Amino acid sequence: MPQNEYMELFRKRFGRRQNHEERLRKKEARKPKEDAKKSRKLRGIKAKLWSKKRYTEKATMRKRIKMHQEKDAKEKDADAVPKGAVPSYLLDREGVTRTKVLSNMIKQKRKEKAGKWQVPIPKVRAMTEDEMFKIMRSGKRKKKAWKRVINKPCFVGPNFTRKNPKFERYIRPSALRFKRANVTHPELKATFCLEIVSVKKNPQSPLYTSLGVLTKGTIIEVNVSELGLVTQTGKVIWAKYAQINNNPEFDGCINAVLLV
């Protein structure tokens, strides 16, 4: 290992402190107040540079918000026929219904990228670290307690290789690894057993997302190639997102709803 990577080496050997994620969250929460204080205090060229940086950040945020906005559109509806007699010059016209649609397909793709989904379970119960992890003591006299065994089901990719047991902080037991999920299509009203491609987001913590922990409310990506879904342009859809709607650790299987 190169000399300058001593921090990574330390992290591999001893891990992070227990409240690392919580400290990061609090730091993020303090950031707006610190930025406002900095804006008030800065003077001269530093103030100009700072305001330019803030302006670009706000512009990006505005674009992202605008991305999600929908506009009014008219849609042809053959059933919407006006009652009573219709003048001859209106006979060839079709009925119209007003709907809310996105301006085009590109915006829809951007919307998906931005991570805005209409999920079946919007809120989930927060889990404590004691529920998620079990402390594993190591060392000759079992005095070291920096290793953690994950109690919940998890997903690891097909090319996953365990770290050296000496440096492995989070242990994912083989018996709790899942590869497939029972995914229900809400429109087709049918359930399919599909392969899991990846874990997109675990609402409990970014750490659990990176570890691939599967709990209730987790957004997973599943392989839908066998369903024969296609885009508006006729391209085959290979993967789609689904949300887990059961407790896999109690049921022994993963049930999810496809996000359409």
Side-chain angles (χ1 to χ4, degrees):
M1 184 176 277
Q3 274 187 328
N4 59 344
E5 290 183 6
Y6 54 90
M7 288 177 78
E8 285 82 353
L9 181 63
F10 183 89
R11 202 173 295 133
K12 274 184 180 177
R13 284 178 179 166
F14 307 108
R16 287 193 169 104
R17 56 165 71 198
Q18 293 299 309
N19 60 347
H20 173 73
E21 298 294 332
E22 186 66 16
R23 280 162 64 92
L24 277 183
R25 188 188 64 77
K26 286 182 177 177
K27 191 178 179 182
E28 282 293 316
R30 284 196 304 268
K31 196 174 182 297
K33 288 188 177 179
E34 285 172 3
D35 288 352
K37 191 178 178 183
K38 199 173 180 182
S39 301
R40 289 196 299 271
K41 288 183 81 174
L42 285 176
R43 295 288 181 272
I45 188 72
K46 284 186 177 179
K48 284 182 181 178
L49 293 169
W50 174 255
S51 61
K52 189 181 178 184
K53 184 190 169 192
R54 294 281 292 152
Y55 177 80
T56 52
E57 282 175 7
K58 284 177 182 176
T60 311
M61 184 61 71
R62 272 192 224 105
K63 279 180 187 174
R64 185 168 287 182
I65 290 165
K66 204 173 180 182
M67 234 181 258
H68 301 322
Q69 287 175 349
E70 296 175 331
K71 68 168 191 178
D72 288 322
K74 289 181 181 179
E75 204 174 70
K76 289 181 180 179
D77 189 2
D79 300 328
V81 179
K83 289 180 182 178
V86 181
S88 58
Y89 60 85
L90 290 178
L91 284 171
D92 60 335
R93 292 192 186 178
E94 293 174 334
V96 168
T97 56
R98 289 186 174 275
T99 55
K100 288 262 184 185
V101 295
L102 284 163
S103 56
N104 52 31
M105 205 169 69
I106 296 163
K107 280 197 176 178
Q108 201 165 349
K109 281 184 181 177
R110 283 180 182 171
K111 185 178 171 183
E112 282 175 15
K113 276 186 183 176
K116 190 188 180 207
W117 304 295
Q118 297 293 325
V119 290
I121 305 167
K123 286 185 180 180
V124 289
R125 183 182 66 84
M127 286 187 180
T128 58
E129 278 201 2
D130 298 335
E131 282 182 272
M132 194 67 74
F133 301 122
K134 185 179 79 177
I135 296 170
M136 184 182 182
R137 297 197 167 270
S138 57
K140 191 176 179 181
R141 292 174 181 82
K142 305 294 177 188
K143 283 192 174 182
K144 293 175 183 175
W146 58 275
K147 290 191 176 189
R148 297 286 179 272
V149 178
I150 297 170
N151 292 329
K152 305 286 177 188
C154 52
F155 167 77
V156 293
N159 302 323
F160 172 72
T161 310
R162 277 185 66 182
K163 283 184 184 176
N164 184 336
K166 193 175 181 180
F167 299 135
E168 192 177 29
R169 176 160 164 73
Y170 296 105
I171 298 157
R172 288 168 275 194
S174 300
L176 288 174
R177 293 180 196 169
F178 281 83
K179 289 183 179 178
R180 300 180 83 85
N182 304 319
V183 182
T184 304
H185 197 295
E187 290 172 4
L188 299 175
K189 299 284 188 286
T191 305
F192 308 93
C193 187
L194 304 175
E195 280 187 11
I196 301 170
V197 178
S198 67
V199 176
K200 184 68 181 173
K201 189 175 182 184
N202 189 313
Q204 303 291 341
S205 163
L207 171 67
Y208 303 153
T209 305
S210 61
L211 289 171
V213 179
L214 303 168
T215 56
K216 190 174 183 176
T218 303
I219 305 288
I220 56 172
E221 197 173 8
V222 289
N223 186 352
V224 293
S225 56
E226 60 192 62
L227 301 188
L229 301 174
V230 291
T231 61
Q232 292 172 352
T233 53
K235 291 181 180 176
V236 177
I237 299 170
W238 292 104
K240 274 186 92 67
Y241 296 134
Q243 189 183 32
I244 296 171
N245 60 353
N246 73 322
N247 291 307
E249 65 270 22
F250 300 142
D251 300 343
C253 65
I254 297 167
N255 298 334
V257 178
L258 204 67
L259 304 180
V260 291

